[in-house]
Amino acid sequence: MKTMLTPAPALQLPAVTLGDELGRGSFGGVYRGHHRWLDVDVAVKVITGIADPSALELALREARLMARLDHPNLLRIYDAGHFDAGIYLILELMDGTCAPLRRLPTERALSVTRQLLQGLQALHDARVLHRDIKPANCLVRARDGRVKLADLGIAIEQSTRAQGQPETAGTL
């Protein structure tokens, strides 16, 4: 049975044409897009339903955190902004997640594990706790087998934890 995907929202971005929905989370959807100026395919995370300005700031915190981190096993961000109904993040496009990976050959399993641990180490070196490690947040690029950690929406930085961030959050 094929899952029906939601069409792209009526969102006009200056440089990106939105396409099909790639996935949906608790705060919005992720869409395939094409960045016309850079001439690359991208993922566009659209976060909607944010009425409170402080919640908008919290959502943009993810973009700022991603922009500061630079590691081959962490998802890259190209741009972010806001529109009437929420915010958008223009991200590196990956082919899929680790969720469907099963019974991998030993070498591939070791490679995936090593890459995820390197991404986690980069976060920890930056004093960031991801707090939502799960197969759906571990993205795979088919052309070279690269694995990247994504979705820093509930990540916390050690320096900001005292500013009201909950002790626990994420996926059990």
Side-chain angles (χ1 to χ4, degrees):
M1 180 175 184
K2 188 169 178 162
T3 304
M4 293 299 292
L5 296 178
T6 307
L11 174 62
Q12 297 296 316
L13 300 177
V16 177
T17 303
L18 288 181
D20 294 335
E21 183 179 77
L22 298 173
R24 180 150 293 280
S26 57
F27 296 105
V30 178
Y31 301 86
R32 176 179 294 277
H34 185 78
H35 198 291
R36 295 182 302 274
W37 298 345
L38 299 177
D39 194 25
V40 295
D41 290 330
V42 295
V44 181
K45 183 176 184 176
V46 178
I47 303 170
T48 57
I50 301 173
D52 180 10
S54 65
L56 176 65
E57 183 60 33
L58 188 61
L60 286 173
R61 185 183 60 81
E62 176 183 10
R64 291 185 192 110
L65 179 58
M66 289 180 73
R68 287 196 313 268
L69 298 169
D70 180 26
H71 190 274
N73 300 112
L74 299 176
L75 192 68
R76 293 184 301 159
I77 185 167
Y78 299 120
D79 195 9
H82 60 86
F83 59 102
D84 293 338
I87 68 165
Y88 63 89
L89 309 179
I90 300 175
L91 306 165
E92 176 179 16
L93 180 66
M94 300 292 282
D95 300 307
T97 72
C98 289
L101 299 181
R102 300 281 187 271
R103 295 194 169 109
L104 295 175
T106 303
E107 284 305 312
R108 180 64 179 141
L110 287 172
S111 173
V112 168
T113 302
R114 201 174 295 117
Q115 290 181 68
L116 291 173
L117 290 173
Q118 289 171 346
L120 274 175
Q121 185 64 56
L123 289 175
H124 289 199
D125 289 347
R127 301 182 56 81
V128 173
L129 295 176
H130 189 284
R131 301 195 315 166
D132 200 16
I133 300 296
K134 58 185 177 184
N137 288 339
C138 302
L139 305 181
V140 179
R141 187 167 59 204
R143 74 172 184 261
D144 61 3
R146 177 74 52 91
V147 179
K148 297 187 178 211
L149 288 173
D151 198 350
L152 298 177
I154 62 170
I156 58 171
E157 296 178 81
Q158 188 65 28
S159 61
T160 61
R161 186 171 172 200
Q163 296 177 3
Q165 291 292 329
E167 284 284 324
T168 58
T171 304
L172 294 176

